[in-house]
C-alpha cells in the first residue's frame, strides 16, 4: 500500500522519499559532549536520523543543546512517562517514539495534543517484548496491538504517524510487517530488534529488512546491533546498496580467487579499494561507478566488460577494460597507474 509522507526535521519518511537510514546513540543523553561526539561520527558515516533515549527530565532538556550541534533530526525515545515526551517536544525534538504498550492512554493523548501543536510526527513503536501475548501468533498479536494504537491516534485526529513492529525473530517480523502493510498507509520503520552482535546479528537484519524492502515494504530502517551507531548505519547502507535502492559507494565486483588466479588479486583489491574510496570523497561521481577486479579469464573479461571499468587477470598481467572496451594489457606493476588514470578520466567526465 502506498504510504503517506511524514517530515522529521529535514528528512522525509514515506511517499516518494528514498528509504532513510537511522540509528540511536548509545550513551546517556544528558551527557551532551559524549552524545555530540557520537552524533558527529553518525553524521560522518552518513546517518540521516538519530534517536536518543530519554529517561528523565535532564535527558529531555539536553535535546535543545544537542540540536544546536547537528543538522540531523533528533527523535526522543520515550517509555513509561508521557511527561518526558512533553519535555522533549518543548526541547525541540523532531519526532517522538512512543511504545503504546507502556504509556497509559491519558498520557498518549497529551503527547498527541502537543505533537499536533508543534507539527511533529510520532512513531508508534511496538516491540514483541512489551505487548500482550495471546499464545497464538506473535505476528498477529503485534499487528493487533499496533492497530489498536493507530485507532487511538486516529480517534484523536492525529495522522502524522510512523509505525514499527519489531521482534528479534526474522520470520515473525517479516510476517508482521506484511500484515500491517496491507492494513494502513502510514510509513513503516523497519528493524529486527535486539539482533545482537556479530555475523548472526548482521544476517538477521539483512534478511529481515532486506526481504521486506524487496517486497516494497519499508520507508526507513534501523539495524539494531550491540555495536557502535556507525556500524548500524553502515549495515543499513549496505542493505540498501545491495538491493540497488541507494548508492553510498562505488560497486566493486571482485572474484573470490581460486587456484586459477596468477596475479596477486587479494592485495590489489585491498589497495585499489582503499584508493577508490578515498578518491570518491574528492570525486563523488566515482560512487556511481561499477568496478570489476577479477582474477582470470574464466569470468574476468565478462565482468570487466560489463562494468564501467574493470581489470581481468592473466599470467602475471591484467587486461584493462573501460566501458566495455579493452584499452590495454599491463603487467602487475603497471596496472595501478593505468587503472587510476582511467578512473580519473571517467570521474572528470
Ligand atoms: S575469476 Fe578466475 S580466479 Fe577468480 S574465482 Fe573465478 S575462476 Fe577463480
Amino acid at each position: 500500500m502506498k504510504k503517506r509522507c511524514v517530515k522529521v526535521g529535514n528528512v522525509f519518511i514515506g511517499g516518494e522519499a528514498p528509504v532513510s537510514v537511522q540509528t540511536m546513540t548509545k550513551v546517556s543523553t544528558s551527557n551532551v559532549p559524549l552524545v555530540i561526539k557520537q552524533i558527529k561520527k553518525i553524521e560522518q558515516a552518513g546517518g540521516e536520523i538519530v534517536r536518543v533515549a530519554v529517561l528523565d527530565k535532564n535527558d529531555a532538556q539536553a535535546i535543545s543543546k544537542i540540536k544546536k550541534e547537528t543538522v540531523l533530526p533528533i527523535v526522543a525515545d520515550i517509555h513509561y512517562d508521557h511527561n518526558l515526551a512533553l519535555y522533549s517536544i518543548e526541547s525541540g525534538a523532531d519526532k517522538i517514539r512512543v511504545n503504546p504498550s507502556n504509556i497509559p492512554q491519558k498520557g498518549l493523548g497529551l503527547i498527541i495534543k502537543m505533537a499536533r501543536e508543534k507539527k511533529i510526527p510520532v512513531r508508534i513503536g511496538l516491540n514483541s517484548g512489551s505487548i500482550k501475548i495471546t499464545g497464538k501468533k506473535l505476528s498477529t498479536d503485534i499487528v493487533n496491538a499496533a492497530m489498536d494504537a493507530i485507532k487511538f491516534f486516529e480517534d484523536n485526529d492525529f495522522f502524522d504517524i510512523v509505525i514499527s513492529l519489531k521482534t528479534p525473530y526474522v520470520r515473525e517480523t517479516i510476517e508482521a510487517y506484511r500484515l500491517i502493510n496491507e492494513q494502513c498507509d502510514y510509513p513503516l520503520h523497519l528493524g529486527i530488534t535486539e539482533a545482537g552482535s556479530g555475523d548472526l546479528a548482521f544476517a538477521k537484519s539483512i534478511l529481515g529488512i532486506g526481504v521486506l524492502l524487496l517486497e516494497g515494504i519499508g520507508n526507513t530502517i534501523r539495524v539494531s546491533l550491540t555495536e557502535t551507531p556507525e556500524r548500524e548505519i553502515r549495515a543499513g547502507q549496505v542493505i540498501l546498496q545491495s538491493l540497488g535502492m541507494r548508492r553510498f559507494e562505488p560497486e566493486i565486483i571482485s572474484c573470490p580467487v581460486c587456484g586459477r588466479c596468477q596475479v596477486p588479486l587479494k592485495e590489489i583489491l585491498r589497495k585499489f579499494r582503499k584508493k577508490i574510496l578515498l578518491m570518491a570523497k574528492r570525486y563523488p561521481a566515482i560512487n556511481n561507478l561499477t568496478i570489476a577486479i577479477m582474477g582470470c579469464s574464466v569470468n574476468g573479461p565478462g565482468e570487466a566488460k560489463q562494468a564501467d571499468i574493470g581489470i581481468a587477470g592473466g599470467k602475471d598481467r591484467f587486461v584493462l577494460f573501460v566501458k566495455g572496451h579493452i584499452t590495454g594489457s599491463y603487467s602487475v606493476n603497471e596496472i595501478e597507474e593505468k587503472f587510476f588514470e582511467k578512473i580519473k578520466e571517467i570521474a572528470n567526465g
Side-chain angles (χ1 to χ4, degrees):
M1 189 184 287
K2 192 166 186 308
K3 301 302 177 199
R4 293 167 187 244
C5 190
V6 160
K7 191 166 184 274
V8 184
N10 54 5
V11 175
F12 290 95
I13 301 178
E16 301 300 321
V19 176
S20 50
V21 183
Q22 55 176 289
T23 184
M24 198 167 175
T25 53
K26 305 195 176 205
V27 290
S28 169
T29 303
S30 48
N31 189 338
V32 175
L34 220 53
V35 175
I36 300 290
K37 205 171 158 193
Q38 277 204 339
I39 291 180
K40 290 294 160 194
K41 286 187 182 167
I42 293 168
E43 279 179 12
Q44 270 174 14
E48 291 162 318
I49 299 173
V50 184
R51 184 157 43 113
V52 296
V54 177
L55 276 70
D56 56 29
K57 199 172 178 181
N58 289 338
D59 285 344
Q61 288 172 338
I63 291 174
S64 63
K65 296 178 197 141
I66 294 166
K67 278 188 60 75
K68 286 190 186 124
E69 303 292 329
T70 181
V71 292
L72 296 183
I74 301 294
V75 182
D77 192 69
I78 308 294
H79 293 269
Y80 311 118
D81 183 357
H82 71 275
N83 286 308
L84 298 177
L86 307 185
Y87 298 142
S88 300
I89 298 173
E90 260 170 25
S91 193
D94 297 294
K95 179 177 153 202
I96 298 293
R97 179 272 167 123
V98 292
N99 182 344
S101 313
N102 61 27
I103 299 182
Q105 285 198 338
K106 194 175 167 204
L108 284 177
L110 294 170
I111 296 173
I112 290 170
K113 187 168 175 276
M114 196 160 172
R116 188 189 304 111
E117 279 166 22
K118 297 286 180 186
K119 295 189 168 51
I120 64 163
V122 176
R123 169 156 68 96
I124 300 175
L126 274 304
N127 277 38
S128 57
S130 55
I131 57 162
K132 259 193 205 143
I133 302 289
T134 62
K136 291 178 188 161
K137 254 190 146 188
L138 184 60
S139 54
T140 315
D141 284 347
I142 198 166
V143 169
N144 288 341
M147 291 311 292
D148 287 348
I150 290 170
K151 184 169 183 319
F152 180 78
F153 276 67
E154 288 176 339
D155 287 348
N156 279 273
D157 210 18
F158 192 87
F159 305 92
D160 214 2
I161 299 170
V162 177
I163 308 289
S164 66
L165 313 171
K166 298 188 188 176
T167 90
Y169 314 109
V170 172
R171 281 175 192 274
E172 285 76 0
T173 304
I174 291 173
E175 264 175 34
Y177 276 103
R178 280 177 179 156
L179 284 172
I180 198 98
N181 184 53
E182 292 303 315
Q183 293 182 39
C184 73
D185 66 352
Y186 297 112
L188 299 176
H189 163 128
L190 303 185
I192 302 289
T193 196
E194 298 135 15
S197 68
D199 296 344
L200 188 58
F202 272 98
K204 279 174 158 182
S205 296
I206 287 167
L207 271 171
I209 295 172
V211 165
L212 288 164
L213 288 173
L214 260 183
E215 294 178 11
I217 300 171
N219 307 93
T220 182
I221 62 174
R222 190 255 172 132
V223 178
S224 304
L225 300 172
T226 318
E227 299 193 24
T228 63
E230 309 89 87
R231 291 287 292 154
E232 294 190 350
I233 293 294
R234 173 75 186 143
Q237 292 171 340
V238 165
I239 294 172
L240 291 172
Q241 176 148 343
S242 303
L243 294 173
M245 297 179 77
R246 291 190 63 185
R247 191 53 95 90
F248 298 93
E249 63 181 44
E251 193 77 28
I252 301 178
I253 296 165
S254 66
C255 80
V257 173
C258 71
R260 289 181 199 277
C261 190
Q262 297 179 75
V263 285
L265 196 81
K266 276 191 275 181
E267 292 86 87
I268 284 182
L269 173 65
R270 199 176 309 126
K271 199 170 173 191
F272 280 29
R273 185 169 189 279
K274 204 170 160 195
K275 215 164 155 179
I276 291 165
L277 294 181
L278 257 178
M279 275 181 83
K281 287 196 175 33
R282 187 156 166 221
Y283 303 100
I286 290 178
N287 286 323
N288 297 323
L289 299 181
T290 299
I291 299 167
I293 298 183
M294 301 292 292
C296 82
S297 62
V298 174
N299 294 316
E303 294 291 358
K305 223 176 187 174
Q306 286 169 42
D308 293 299
I309 177 164
I311 57 174
K315 172 97 182 81
D316 302 323
R317 301 185 72 75
F318 281 98
V319 176
L320 178 60
F321 292 79
V322 178
K323 303 281 181 198
H325 300 288
I326 293 177
T327 61
S329 167
Y330 304 101
S331 71
V332 168
N333 290 334
E334 292 167 325
I335 190 64
E336 183 174 348
E337 191 188 332
K338 299 293 176 191
F339 176 85
F340 283 99
E341 259 175 36
K342 291 293 176 195
I343 289 240
K344 237 182 222 168
E345 274 175 37
I346 298 174
N348 286 325

